Amino acid sequence: MAEQFDCPVWFNGKDIIEAAFCDEYMDEYQLTYDSSAFFTPDGRMTDERLLKQEIYHCLKFCAVKNVPHTIGNILELLKFYNTGVDLTPQQDRVHLANETLYLDGTFTEGKPEIVRSRLPIRYNPNVPQPEHWLRFLHDLLHEEDIPTLQEYLGYCLIPSTKGQRMMVIKGKGGEGKSQIGSVMTAVFGNNMKDGSIGKISENRFARADLEHQLLMVDDDMKMEALKQTNYVKSIVTAQGKMDLERKGKQSYQGWMFCRLLAFSKYAYRNYYHELGKSTPGL
């Protein structure tokens, strides 16, 4: 006689009991859903296909029909599970690859909790100064402007818009300004997005693409293309949640703490006068 198959509690020998599967899955994994994305101790899950693959590997040993449909149902059910995790942006700390660095200089090791964002870099207070990076900044900027850039990039590490500023670095072409964006990509990973200030200013759906992001970089900002500044200003001055809208979906309240960094070869003074700010570019 063939050995009897030891069925999991969520399989009755014929069908998957989807709610029971979710109960077992949530007991084993740290996962929660907020507004429009899943979050884990590694931060926001940027691709739900990875979660679908994990679910599939759990189901594939059971003889079930219509597996993709079952996985889709389970995924939707998981969105209703409330794990009691508070995902309010934590403005006093930076979650790094395997530790959390607090603004007072202390840090704790490990990834014990679900977080809104985690940077793909490690904290090491004993590394030597980045001479190559500092030499690059010295060749690109005036000495008095270097601390301004460093302070702004540090500001972008935490989910806060209290500064109510964006930064535009203006200069001639071919100077290497965009290399700053390349370095920031390595630092921020999936917590940064390449985008267009012009698109944000004209498309009411564009703000939702910046939800959960710490930084957006516009590599070639064309200031004369801006027809209005309302949407851009709402991001720069955001305090808490704002109304976000995606095509074909009901609008919702989502956290917005994305900062804007742009590189431009064009005049932008009039634009900032419209925002009511002094010109903060370098």
Side-chain angles (χ1 to χ4, degrees):
M1 180 180 295
E3 183 179 351
Q4 185 177 2
F5 177 67
D6 186 14
C7 295
V9 296
W10 40 263
F11 183 57
N12 62 14
K14 182 179 179 182
D15 299 309
I16 297 294
I17 306 172
E18 295 164 356
F21 177 90
C22 291
D23 288 336
E24 183 178 283
Y25 191 89
M26 294 300 289
D27 285 341
E28 184 174 354
Y29 297 98
Q30 288 183 284
L31 182 73
T32 192
Y33 186 82
D34 178 40
S35 298
S36 60
F38 285 101
F39 294 87
T40 73
D42 289 316
R44 178 172 60 95
M45 184 176 292
T46 59
D47 190 349
E48 289 186 358
R49 289 179 298 178
L50 298 177
L51 181 54
K52 291 180 179 179
Q53 289 174 358
E54 288 185 1
I55 296 172
Y56 168 72
H57 286 299
C58 294
L59 301 181
K60 66 180 182 179
F61 297 106
C62 300
V64 296
K65 297 180 295 183
N66 202 358
V67 175
H69 179 73
T70 301
I71 293 175
N73 288 344
I74 290 173
L75 194 69
E76 291 303 310
L77 277 177
L78 288 174
K79 294 179 181 180
F80 291 103
Y81 274 71
N82 185 353
T83 59
V85 177
D86 183 8
L87 285 178
T88 302
Q90 298 171 307
Q91 301 177 354
D92 64 338
R93 68 198 68 179
V94 182
H95 298 290
L96 303 172
N98 201 34
E99 57 269 318
T100 297
L101 174 65
Y102 294 85
L103 298 190
D104 62 6
T106 61
F107 68 96
T108 57
E109 296 183 354
K111 299 185 287 186
E113 60 183 354
I114 297 174
V115 296
R116 182 168 285 278
S117 60
R118 187 174 293 278
L119 304 183
I121 54 175
R122 292 179 176 270
Y123 173 64
N124 184 352
N126 300 317
V127 296
Q129 285 194 340
E131 298 295 341
H132 185 72
W133 168 251
L134 293 175
R135 184 166 59 252
F136 164 74
L137 293 181
H138 174 78
D139 294 339
L140 178 67
L141 305 172
H142 297 296
E143 288 297 323
E144 61 270 22
D145 290 330
I146 293 177
T148 303
L149 174 64
Q150 292 174 323
E151 181 178 353
Y152 187 80
L153 296 180
Y155 164 57
C156 294
L157 294 174
I158 59 173
S160 170
T161 56
K162 289 183 178 179
Q164 298 195 5
R165 290 292 188 275
M166 63 177 288
M167 175 174 282
V168 177
I169 300 179
K170 175 178 175 287
K172 300 177 182 178
E175 295 175 316
K177 300 184 297 297
S178 60
Q179 292 303 312
I180 297 174
S182 299
V183 173
M184 291 305 100
T185 298
V187 172
F188 286 87
N190 292 327
N191 301 289
M192 172 186 142
K193 179 181 178 65
D194 292 321
S196 167
I197 302 293
K199 181 179 179 181
I200 295 174
S201 71
E202 299 173 5
N203 188 335
R204 72 177 189 272
F205 301 116
R207 289 187 300 178
D209 293 336
L210 301 182
E211 186 184 14
H212 312 305
Q213 299 289 343
L214 290 170
L215 176 65
M216 192 207 81
V217 174
D218 186 341
D219 189 59
D220 187 14
M221 187 176 183
K222 297 178 174 58
M223 301 304 301
E224 77 280 1
L226 297 181
K227 299 178 181 179
Q228 61 178 359
T229 62
N230 294 357
Y231 294 144
V232 176
K233 183 177 180 181
S234 68
I235 294 173
V236 173
T237 61
Q239 293 291 317
K241 291 186 176 182
M242 68 164 53
D243 191 65
L244 301 175
E245 186 177 2
R246 299 180 186 273
K247 285 186 178 180
K249 296 184 179 181
Q250 179 66 37
S251 63
Y252 62 96
Q253 294 290 306
W255 289 103
M256 180 58 65
F257 43 78
C258 185
R259 272 57 51 87
L260 306 178
L261 171 64
F263 309 107
S264 175
K265 294 180 291 185
Y266 302 88
Y268 54 90
R269 184 174 300 276
N270 291 338
Y271 170 70
Y272 280 100
H273 285 171
E274 291 179 21
L275 284 182
K277 305 288 184 183
S278 60
T279 306
L282 296 178

